[in-house]
């Protein structure tokens, strides 16, 4: 039996990039969510644009898992780079994901939901496949931070980096999806293209330039990764 790969994106611009890769596409609706079901190579893809933020991401991935029982879940799209070594178009693969806006009090680490791991680990096999790809862009495994806040200010970036020195990127969905996949025991990885570097001079223009001139080339590496699964 061919495996089912679940893919979640947050925004419509990301969704369109992935949808264009699929063949034999049809749509199904369950509750508030509309799923695009198609093929990429020999695998069945279930694609969902879950919406921005942790609640949307969690509701989407749980609904998807219950309806389609995927072999694995991939969160893909863009993220902000918060490490000076990263450049726009680099790809960060989530070896770990962590909430940057969670604090459950004494006895818990920053980012830890009480009773759960502080960091959620990416699936080893998915990480291995991502790391072994030949690509025109840099693929870097590391820590992705998640919170319900779009980071734009240099002081916010510096505070995140001080609290999590090994963090490479920040987004608004990955750790929430990772937490749900941990609870449902579904292999997961976040595969994120760096679209901008929060706090940098002209940060928002970086983001706009990415979508205007770099997105098509950047998402080709996502296609290669998904095809390898």
């Amino acid at each position: 039996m061919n495996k089912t790969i679940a893919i979640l994106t947050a925004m419509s611009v990301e969704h369109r990039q992935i949808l264009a890769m699929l063949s034999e596409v049809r749509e199904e609706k369950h509750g508030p969510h509309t799923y695009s079901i198609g093929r990429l190579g020999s695998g069945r893809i279930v694609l969902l644009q879950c919406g921005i933020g942790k609640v949307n991401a969690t509701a989407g991935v749980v609904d998807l898992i219950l309806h389609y029982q995927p072999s694995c879940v991939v969160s893909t799209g863009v993220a902000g780079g918060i490490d000076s070594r990263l450049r726009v178009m680099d790809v960060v693969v989530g070896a770990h994901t962590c909430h940057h806006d969670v604090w459950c009090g004494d006895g818990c680490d920053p980012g830890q939901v009480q009773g759960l791991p502080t960091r959620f680990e990416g699936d080893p096999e998915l990480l291995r496949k991502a790391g072994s790809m030949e690509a025109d862009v840099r693929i870097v495994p590391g820590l992705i931070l998640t919170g319900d806040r779009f980071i734009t200010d240099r002081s916010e970036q510096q505070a995140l980096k001080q609290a999590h020195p090994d963090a490479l990127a920040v987004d608004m969905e990955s750790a929430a999806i990772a937490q749900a996949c941990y609870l449902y025991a579904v292999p997961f990885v976040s595969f994120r293209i760096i679209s901008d570097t929060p706090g940098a001079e002209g940060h928002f223009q970086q983001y706009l330039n990415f979508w205007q001139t770099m997105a098509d080339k950047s998402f080709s590496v996502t296609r290669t990764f998904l095809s390898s699964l």
Side-chain angles (χ1 to χ4, degrees), residues 96-142:
H96 311 276
T97 57
C98 177
H99 301 282
H100 69 70
D101 59 353
V102 168
W103 169 238
C104 288
D106 292 341
C108 292
D109 295 327
Q112 181 183 19
V113 177
Q114 190 172 35
L116 294 176
T118 302
R119 297 180 174 188
F120 300 100
E121 304 217 2
D123 178 73
E125 180 61 15
L126 297 177
L127 289 169
R128 185 192 66 78
K129 289 193 174 186
S132 64
M133 287 194 318
E134 293 186 7
D136 294 333
V137 298
R138 283 200 306 168
I139 299 174
V140 187

Side-chain angles (χ1 to χ4, degrees), residues 74-185:
V74 178
S75 170
T76 192
V78 300
I82 60 168
D83 189 282
S84 60
R85 295 168 295 174
L86 290 178
R87 302 182 298 268
V88 173
M89 291 181 61
D90 287 347
V91 174
V92 174
V93 183
H96 311 276
T97 57
C98 177
H99 301 282
H100 69 70
D101 59 353
V102 168
W103 169 238
C104 288
D106 292 341
C108 292
D109 295 327
Q112 181 183 19
V113 177
Q114 190 172 35
L116 294 176
T118 302
R119 297 180 174 188
F120 300 100
E121 304 217 2
D123 178 73
E125 180 61 15
L126 297 177
L127 289 169
R128 185 192 66 78
K129 289 193 174 186
S132 64
M133 287 194 318
E134 293 186 7
D136 294 333
V137 298
R138 283 200 306 168
I139 299 174
V140 187
L143 172 62
I144 299 174
L145 299 178
T146 298
D148 277 323
R149 185 172 180 82
F150 188 65
I151 305 299
T152 58
D153 186 78
R154 185 183 300 273
S155 63
E156 292 180 285
Q157 179 190 1
Q158 290 172 339
L160 290 178
K161 195 65 175 171
Q162 184 175 2
H164 306 274
D166 57 336
L168 298 181
V170 60
D171 70 9
M172 298 178 67
E173 296 83 30
S174 289
I177 299 170
Q179 181 176 327
C181 288
Y182 173 86
L183 293 172
Y184 282 88

